[in-house]
Amino acid sequence: MNDILKFIEMEKNQKNSQNSSETESTHSAEQTTENEAPDGGWGWLVCLGSFVINFILDGTMFSFGVMLLTLLEYFGESKAKTSWIGSVLLGLSMILGPFVGWLLDRFTIRQVTLCGAFVATLGFVISTFAQSVEVLIITYGVIGGIGFCMMFIPGIIVVGLYFSRKRALATGIAMSGSGVGTFVYAYLCEALLSEFSWRGTILIMAGILLNCVVCAALFRPLSTEAEKRKRRKRKESKMYDCVKCMDSAESSSTDLSTKSKDVYLDIDVRRNGPSLFNSTSALESKTPARYSFIENSGTAVRQAKRLYSSAHALNRLDTIHRHTYKPFNPLARRDIFYSGSIRNIPKSFTSSETSRSTGELSEFEIDVKEIETHCSCFQKLGGTVDFTLFKNSKFTLLLLCMVLWTAHSITLTFLPDMAVANGIPRDQSASIISICGVSNTVGRILAGFLTDTFHVSSTLIYVVALAMAAATNFLFPWCYNYTTIALCSGVFGLCMASAVCLRTIVIVEQLGLKRLTSAFSMIAFFQGIAFILNPPIAGFLYDYMKSYVYPFILSGSMYAFAALACAAILMKNCVSSKDTSKDNISIVVESEGTSTDESLLNVYDDSEML
């Protein structure tokens, strides 16, 4: 037994020496190895679960325009009032990001997604009993929107946890569920409405939402290497204590009649100490019976009692030795919302310290530290609020651009009804949304191909896509046959896909990866407000003007101003690059006591603050 103890001690000493050598390495390298994504394996099932969630959620939200026709006929309310049902559902799925961030700081992605599926299903089931539009706004819109947000945001970020090098491919597959869902749900919704009433259609959709429970089960928490090492050390400590206890048991006397009560008390303290045993089977044959002393008429009566009585007692821990683990908040990672490959992150936004030490991008070092306890209330909700971003002119233009392109909620909500008003049969009007879904899927693939393969600026693609979307919205009211409206719908789907899938890539290209989480969260919050207000405002224009020309002029104008805001960012970049090149020449010539490399490095740091 002593030989075993010596062998274990030697192994522990070797591992301690290895750990001490590892701690001498840089902190950035530790973060990189501890949080390396598997890039495959179970991650592909996670990608499948995210695909299904996007398929169901976006399919349900973007097919509301097909259901709107039936709801208008059933309730007889105005288009502005009825459109609140779908707009609240779509808006709350974005605006409640800080609330979901607060949940993710306390629970795992699997738990939050699971609860969201049940909440959304409950809201849809209650909606089948609604007798007014106001009740539908609360049950279908508010309750359903809360559940959708609890599934939508975890469904986006979970792919980033499992993929790093293959993130662009995995994210593209997962997010393509949006376009496929829009294509399928338009036909599905029209078929269900023709066979059942709108109540039966919503009830069947509630049943489909329960499939998100299975998707949530696939989102297995991903443990970091640090946690694995801690578990490994605890297991080794248990084995060492177990062997040491058995060795002391063999060397001790089996008769404790001559020993005092203090000996037993000391043994009892050791039993309730930090030593843990998962089973008593090994100790039953190795450890002799201990005896407890019971006072009986002033004399000590020896009563046989096993020291290790049960697994429950053996695994009991004092409060000092209890280890509690707080779920890791994925929103604490800088790159969690980034939909592209991290190898394509612009080098101008990398820190000089890491580039000098490792020669790689500093953004490969994923920051996985928890949110500090002294942060503000807003930071505790999402860990993502940074009001200093409003001092950055690029962020202000990006915020304006991305809030304005939420006009696609107007287009998708009223496009089927506008087609019917222009003389197109109702069954064909539903297929128009399906065309948008197909082109949406193609547009996501095409946009990713252009940025990854040909290295086309995502901001430039944004400008072109937004300008084309504005043109198609201006043309929609004058499409009086199926061919022209289908052609415009296909082009609009391509443009909408580019605006949505390149959103985080444009943010990183203009602001850097370090500010991605803060910028994306704040933009999503304002986008949620816009999603809620856009369809009712457009519906009010139709109710007042009795024509769909004005709602689509509104959406086209919003896209046009979004394109102008994005073009202003490109112009600002061109001016900044020219000024920087001039400053480089002047500083290199004038700097006498400073080396050329240090001068250029200072210039790049200054240009980053612009």
Side-chain angles (χ1 to χ4, degrees), residues 154-165:
I156 293 176
I157 65 179
V158 71
V159 179
L161 294 177
Y162 274 84
F163 291 91
S164 178
R165 294 187 178 92

Side-chain angles (χ1 to χ4, degrees), residues 326-563:
K326 185 180 180 181
F328 167 67
N329 187 356
L331 294 181
R333 289 184 54 162
R334 295 178 183 176
D335 67 329
I336 196 62
F337 288 113
Y338 189 64
S339 58
S341 176
I342 59 177
R343 292 187 177 274
N344 295 328
I345 297 173
K347 293 185 179 181
S348 59
F349 295 105
T350 61
S351 64
S352 58
E353 181 180 355
T354 306
S355 60
R356 289 195 301 267
S357 60
T358 62
E360 296 180 356
L361 299 181
S362 65
E363 305 306 348
F364 280 100
E365 306 167 7
I366 307 305
D367 186 8
V368 295
K369 292 182 179 180
E370 293 292 334
I371 302 171
E372 296 182 359
T373 55
H374 61 271
C375 60
S376 63
C377 178
F378 289 104
Q379 289 174 326
K380 286 182 179 180
L381 285 177
T384 54
V385 177
D386 184 9
F387 292 105
T388 60
L389 283 171
F390 288 100
K391 298 178 181 179
N392 192 316
S393 58
K394 286 185 180 181
F395 172 77
T396 305
L397 291 173
L398 281 176
L399 177 63
L400 178 63
C401 171
M402 294 185 180
V403 169
L404 288 175
W405 65 246
T406 57
H408 70 260
S409 61
I410 298 175
T411 306
L412 295 177
T413 300
F414 295 104
L415 187 58
D417 193 40
M418 188 217 67
V420 173
N422 287 356
I424 297 174
R426 180 168 178 172
D427 56 343
Q428 293 183 350
S429 64
S431 64
I432 296 174
I433 301 297
S434 297
I435 294 174
C436 291
V438 173
S439 59
N440 191 337
T441 305
V442 175
R444 292 173 185 269
I445 299 174
L446 182 61
F449 179 75
L450 291 176
T451 55
D452 290 342
T453 304
F454 296 99
H455 303 286
V456 181
S457 173
S458 58
T459 310
L460 179 61
I461 298 177
Y462 235 62
V463 174
V464 176
L466 293 175
M468 293 179 64
T472 54
N473 275 271
F474 287 137
L475 293 175
F476 272 130
W478 284 273
C479 296
Y480 293 98
N481 57 73
Y482 182 78
T483 303
T484 56
I485 197 170
L487 180 61
C488 291
S489 299
V491 175
F492 175 74
L494 290 173
C495 301
M496 182 180 67
S498 301
V500 174
C501 71
L502 295 179
R503 175 173 44 181
T504 57
I505 299 177
V506 170
I507 293 175
V508 172
E509 189 176 281
Q510 301 301 327
L511 302 178
L513 186 62
K514 185 177 181 179
R515 296 183 175 182
L516 171 61
T517 305
S518 299
F520 178 81
S521 300
M522 297 180 71
I523 288 173
F525 178 82
F526 287 102
Q527 280 184 331
I529 297 176
F531 277 132
I532 294 176
L533 298 178
N534 286 341
I537 292 175
F540 173 78
L541 288 176
Y542 177 86
D543 295 333
Y544 185 78
M545 306 299 296
K546 302 301 180 182
S547 175
Y548 270 117
V549 174
Y550 301 98
F552 280 88
I553 288 179
L554 172 64
S555 60
S557 301
M558 293 175 66
Y559 270 112
F561 282 110

